Amino acid sequence: MKNILVTGGAGFIGSNFIRMVLTEHPDCLVVNLDKLTYAGNLENLADLVGGGAAGTRGAGRTPVPQVPRVTAHDTPYRFVHGDICDAALVARVIDEHHIDTIVNFAAESHVDRSLTGPKIFIETNVTGTLCLLEAARDRNVDRFLQVSTDEVYGALGPEGQFTEQTLLSPNSPYSASKAAADHLVRAFGHTWGLKYNITRCSNNYGPYQFPEKLIPLMIHNALHDKELPVYGDGMQVRDWLYVYDHCTAIWRVLERAAPGEIYNIGGCNEKANLEVVNIILSRLGKPQSLIRHVKDRPGHDRRYAIDAGKIIRELGWKPSVTFEEGIARTIDWYLAGGKWLANVVSGAYQQYYERMYANR
Ligand code: NAD
Ligand code: TYD
């Protein structure tokens, strides 16, 4: 594995993954193909590779080069502004950079947005993945890693955990689109022998997460003494995974997994949403009176919990931080990175927030 195409590398997990590869595996070339949607932000990597001025975030703000370019520091990194649905572009990028490995992070990733506008989820998460798969098959790429989610398994009751054998039973348009992509990846392996892996992780948190997701949204609101909108009773459970640990797990799969294997990745950190919100408030020294229970999300999955035993046993991976350490690091990062947060909540974010929360 030398020349890696990372799609969606300007997003939260993709940029953390690129940061890890460039820092810890500098013999690899990383090509980042990203459409720069509202969630894509070149500032996430600006300190490492340059080129992330405030105006480069989000599609349509500032022109971004359409062709691969060497960055200021001559890091083994190229950025390509483009859509994974663009078959000609994907083929050109793979050929030009002799890509041997594809890691597909690119996606529409937020459940709430999939409830109000599911079409783009099908376009990017399903059609986009199909486009990458066809290119990978036709060009004999050595490995295709699909970054999936535990949400494809549906929801759990109070007991039990998702294993790799759990039936796919997605409940939201987001998770349905991710499950469709997983089936396509598997089908390309079965039919054409594409060497693939699928990873299914639990909820990630950490630096550079866009403040539409629970943890950064609550940190941002608490910092500004704004209400913290908890859906329903707040007793829904998520299994939190620190983003760096997710990245090391993906790397382990790329290095050691046999083709065709699927791995669950989880941090063994089950927490009810209210507990997470209270930890954030207490660490920031803010009062619980900021919490406001709002109308629940339709079809809200009650509980996710991951059995990560397979990747631990077979590939020797394990998470490096506890939730307490991870959340402390995350809050400290948001406190120190005030400018990053201020930039991402300017403009379109305000309209999104109004639309989502004003009459809830
Ligand atoms: P994100 O929303 O932060 O980033 C997505 C990135 O994909 C952005 O940079 C965006 O510009 C890019 N993108 C979107 N559409 C594109 C397209 N058509 N072509 C090229 N680029 C496009 O998402 P994230 O939280 O970093 O998630 C990354 C992956 O991990 C996704 O596949 C998601 O389903 C999966 N995942 C995320 C979580 C989580 O907790 N965040 C949990 C499980 C799985
Ligand atoms: P989220 O970060 O959107 O991830 P997912 O829906 O993919 O698990 O939400 C995590 C949990 O937090 C989920 O149960 C919904 C809840 N939530 C709130 O209570 N309030 C909020 O404002 C948000 C964004 C999420």
Side-chain angles (χ1 to χ4, degrees):
M1 171 189 20
K2 274 278 182 225
N3 297 346
I4 309 173
L5 173 60
V6 174
T7 69
F12 163 50
I13 307 173
S15 64
N16 275 282
F17 180 76
I18 290 176
R19 179 173 294 277
M20 182 200 72
V21 176
L22 292 181
T23 311
E24 298 175 19
H25 308 280
D27 52 325
C28 294
L29 169 73
V30 174
V31 181
N32 174 9
L33 171 62
D34 197 297
K35 185 177 163 187
L36 296 182
T37 68
Y38 76 91
N41 188 353
L42 292 178
E43 279 186 59
N44 296 0
L45 290 163
D47 61 311
L48 268 188
V49 299
T56 53
R57 97 165 311 277
R61 286 267 187 89
T62 299
V64 182
Q66 295 295 316
V67 290
R69 66 187 172 82
V70 182
T71 59
H73 310 307
D74 220 10
T75 313
Y77 169 82
R78 310 286 183 273
F79 173 67
V80 183
H81 184 205
D83 194 327
I84 59 167
C85 300
D86 182 342
L89 175 67
V90 169
R92 180 165 66 81
V93 169
I94 293 175
D95 288 344
E96 254 176 43
H97 298 285
H98 310 287
I99 294 297
D100 50 52
T101 304
I102 298 178
V103 185
N104 182 28
F105 290 98
E108 289 293 330
S109 68
H110 192 38
V111 173
D112 288 323
R113 289 184 193 254
S114 82
L115 305 182
T116 52
K119 197 155 172 272
I120 186 71
F121 284 72
I122 303 305
E123 284 164 17
T124 287
N125 301 2
V126 185
T127 309
T129 302
L130 175 62
C131 178
L132 292 171
L133 286 167
E134 288 184 311
R137 175 199 60 194
D138 296 347
R139 283 164 171 71
N140 290 320
V141 166
D142 288 344
R143 191 61 59 102
F144 186 97
L145 191 148
Q146 173 71 3
V147 179
S148 185
T149 164
D150 61 354
E151 300 191 27
V152 298
Y153 297 124
L156 292 164
E159 303 294 326
Q161 292 182 319
F162 299 129
T163 72
E164 290 82 358
Q165 274 72 49
T166 304
L167 223 62
L168 301 201
S169 195
N171 287 323
S172 71
Y174 162 68
S175 53
S177 69
K178 294 295 289 186
D182 285 12
H183 284 308
L184 281 171
V185 173
R186 196 191 149 277
F188 270 65
H190 180 84
T191 307
W192 290 290
L194 180 77
K195 291 187 197 135
Y196 74 88
N197 294 107
I198 298 172
T199 56
R200 296 185 180 136
C201 67
S202 54
N203 288 62
N204 283 221
Y205 69 104
Y208 301 104
Q209 187 167 30
F210 190 76
E212 64 185 354
K213 305 286 193 323
L214 179 77
I215 287 181
L217 186 143
M218 296 298 169
I219 294 172
H220 174 253
N221 283 16
L223 278 173
H224 293 87
D225 299 308
K226 281 177 68 175
E227 286 179 338
L228 309 191
V230 170
Y231 298 169
D233 64 3
M235 295 311 290
Q236 305 83 3
V237 171
R238 297 294 183 263
D239 185 352
W240 293 97
L241 173 66
Y242 191 61
V243 65
Y244 176 76
D245 286 334
H246 183 194
C247 296
T248 62
I250 289 174
W251 188 260
R252 199 50 80 88
V253 170
L254 288 173
E255 270 186 331
R256 298 196 189 165
E261 292 295 325
I262 297 175
Y263 288 97
N264 283 350
I265 307 170
C268 309
N269 285 310
E270 275 190 62
K271 301 248 176 285
N273 293 339
L274 259 185
E275 188 185 348
V276 171
V277 170
N278 277 315
I279 290 171
I280 292 169
L281 284 173
S282 96
R283 201 162 168 94
L284 289 173
K286 299 287 182 173
Q288 287 190 334
S289 56
L290 284 177
I291 293 175
R292 184 162 70 87
H293 288 270
V294 300
K295 195 162 157 242
D296 208 350
R297 173 190 281 173
H300 198 168
D301 285 341
R302 193 68 180 168
R303 176 171 166 262
Y304 303 142
I306 278 269
D307 176 348
K310 181 178 172 188
I311 189 169
I312 292 169
R313 273 191 318 275
E314 292 184 4
L315 306 185
W317 170 85
K318 61 176 181 350
S320 69
V321 296
T322 62
F323 184 75
E324 289 63 32
E325 289 163 341
I327 196 76
R329 281 192 208 176
T330 303
I331 292 173
D332 289 350
W333 184 85
Y334 279 94
L335 283 171
K339 191 161 157 281
W340 184 93
L341 195 54
N343 283 343
V344 299
V345 298
S346 63
Y349 179 80
Q350 297 301 332
Q351 284 120 50
Y352 165 79
Y353 198 87
E354 272 297 299
R355 207 169 62 241
M356 226 25 124
Y357 294 97
N359 301 311
R360 198 151 186 162

